[in-house]
Amino acid sequence: MKIIKKREKAKLLIGLNYLDKRTKLNDTDKRYLINLEKGFEGEERFDGLVKTHLNGEALVINDLLVENKGNTFQIDTLIVMFDTIYLYEVKNYKGDFQMNSGQLSYTSGQEITNPLIQLKRTKELLRQLLKDWGISYRIEAHVVFINDAFTLYNAKLEDPIIFPTQIKEHLTGLNAKCKNLPKQSVYLTDRLVDRHKTDSVFQKQLPPYSFEEFKTGVSCSCGSFELIITQRACYCKMCYKQMSIEELVVENINEFKFLFPDQKITTSMIDDWCGNTVNYRKIRNILQTHLVASGTNSGTYYQ
Ligand SMILES: [Zn+2]
């Protein structure tokens, strides 16, 4: 098994995490952030199981976002084998659910989007894309419910669902179907990864924000502002992570750049962002090392 594309945190999730750390998110956005985080955790757990149990010849693409003829579709995990492509929609739902006439809901009654409908659409759009490319492959698509505390009543036997208790068996079962991969598989995965789009619309999906409402100060990647800073190093009182001042400032500059991509960066701006906790000249040196300086002496900014 070879991983062709690794999973990365979605930009929307990164952005919401930054906003959560430095502003106060409203309840809806906070809930959305928690759901995105749970979803990501579930996908990572599935990645771990694939790594552990799938050891035959297969190519794995994680988190693929593709647009074809005006339709965009996203695939959590795609495994290319000898003559079949396996695609998986991973759901980290927890609790008791029921399926009634194609409608998925909590047993308490609250309806949620049925991932089987999304899966059908994704499979069809992938099939069309391969047809456009003149590539013929069988496609098998499944929804994977990854959380051990997930129960679904009234599912049909023929529903393409893999339950938590079946994941290991499913993946080890794939090993038996592995044969030497034809050249076409490599060609296909390269072409799909080439086609991958980064989520460029995430900025519009974030709630509106401005510099003034942000909590300033240097913060650790765990979200804590409780740092002990000495001449050269600093450590986080929350997660005990130790890092150099340079690493810390670079991380906080990256955060600023992520949230304000169009803003020209100046030393005093980063000094404010870091809550005036780090020596001003040190910040300037770090900016000079890691970014490119432009403008005149009095109005230097960094890109
Ligand atoms: Zn920390």
Side-chain angles (χ1 to χ4, degrees):
M1 187 272 288
K2 191 175 162 196
I3 294 169
I4 304 297
K5 183 181 170 296
K6 279 195 290 188
R7 187 177 308 284
E8 281 165 36
K9 251 189 195 179
K11 291 221 174 92
L12 181 59
L13 175 54
I14 296 173
L16 279 172
N17 260 320
Y18 287 160
L19 292 184
D20 185 42
K21 185 158 89 172
R22 291 189 183 259
T23 65
K24 184 156 174 37
L25 288 180
N26 67 33
D27 289 350
T28 314
D29 292 330
K30 183 87 187 175
R31 222 175 302 128
Y32 187 48
L33 168 62
I34 291 169
N35 281 336
L36 285 179
E37 252 169 0
K38 273 190 203 153
F40 185 69
E41 272 170 34
E43 289 159 12
E44 281 198 313
R45 202 176 315 149
F46 186 62
D47 295 347
L49 293 171
V50 170
K51 261 187 219 162
T52 309
H53 299 297
L54 181 65
N55 37 48
E57 280 219 29
L59 303 173
V60 180
I61 298 177
N62 292 310
D63 194 23
L64 185 70
L65 185 69
V66 171
E67 192 192 322
N68 189 35
K69 294 178 177 164
N71 291 308
T72 303
F73 59 100
Q74 188 262 337
I75 298 172
D76 288 339
T77 304
L78 184 139
I79 299 178
V80 176
M81 288 186 18
F82 169 67
D83 61 352
T84 308
I85 293 175
Y86 295 86
L87 78 88
Y88 302 93
E89 173 71 32
V90 181
K91 291 290 174 206
N92 194 6
Y93 297 165
K94 187 178 167 185
D96 295 341
F97 294 79
Q98 59 188 348
M99 189 78 89
N100 278 321
S101 346
Q103 200 64 255
L104 183 66
S105 60
Y106 284 92
T107 47
S108 60
Q110 190 200 341
E111 272 182 19
I112 56 165
T113 316
N114 182 355
L116 289 174
I117 295 168
Q118 192 187 339
L119 182 79
K120 206 172 157 191
R121 175 185 179 270
T122 307
K123 184 181 176 183
E124 178 52 28
L125 290 171
L126 178 65
R127 199 191 59 75
Q128 269 176 28
L129 179 66
L130 297 191
K131 198 176 158 214
D132 291 349
W133 288 350
I135 297 174
S136 122
Y137 260 102
R138 228 158 58 85
I139 302 174
E140 273 196 30
H142 292 97
V143 169
V144 179
F145 289 106
I146 191 87
N147 199 307
D148 291 337
F150 173 82
T151 305
L152 179 61
Y153 294 96
N154 293 340
K156 290 199 208 102
L157 194 59
E158 65 268 25
D159 285 340
I161 293 175
I162 302 173
F163 289 103
T165 48
Q166 301 171 318
I167 300 172
K168 185 181 165 190
E169 199 189 330
H170 172 82
L171 292 171
T172 49
L174 290 184
N175 290 325
K177 296 176 188 163
C178 283
K179 287 188 201 169
N180 282 352
L181 288 174
K183 271 203 184 119
Q184 183 177 247
S185 326
V186 180
Y187 169 74
L188 170 65
T189 47
D190 284 351
R191 203 155 173 193
L192 283 171
V193 172
D194 269 355
R195 196 66 179 254
H196 174 71
K197 285 171 27 140
T198 48
D199 47 354
S200 53
V201 290
F202 76 94
Q203 209 80 33
K204 287 186 202 122
Q205 294 170 296
L206 288 172
Y209 55 85
S210 63
F211 186 87
E212 290 70 37
E213 62 189 290
F214 278 94
K215 179 181 164 85
T216 55
V218 275
S219 69
C220 173
S221 52
C222 77
S224 158
F225 285 84
E226 300 285 310
L227 301 172
I228 294 178
I229 299 173
T230 63
Q231 275 275 311
R232 272 158 210 277
C234 78
Y235 88 91
C236 174
K237 282 199 213 170
M238 294 298 283
C239 72
Y240 308 111
K241 182 173 153 183
Q242 207 170 344
M243 56 206 133
S244 68
I245 299 289
E246 185 165 353
E247 280 172 311
L248 175 74
V249 172
V250 168
E251 212 169 284
N252 282 264
I253 293 171
N254 287 340
E255 203 173 287
F256 182 86
K257 276 171 66 185
F258 183 99
L259 292 166
F260 303 100
D262 302 325
Q263 186 72 249
K264 282 179 179 174
I265 293 174
T266 63
T267 311
S268 73
M269 206 177 267
I270 295 301
D271 186 39
D272 285 348
W273 182 247
C274 293
N276 318 103
T277 47
V278 178
N279 181 292
Y280 191 85
R281 270 168 51 202
K282 194 153 202 158
I283 291 180
R284 194 170 57 205
N285 286 340
I286 294 170
L287 281 168
Q288 280 167 353
T289 313
H290 292 270
L291 299 177
V292 178
S294 304
T296 55
N297 251 348
S298 54
T300 309
Y301 60 91
Y302 300 87
Q303 282 168 314

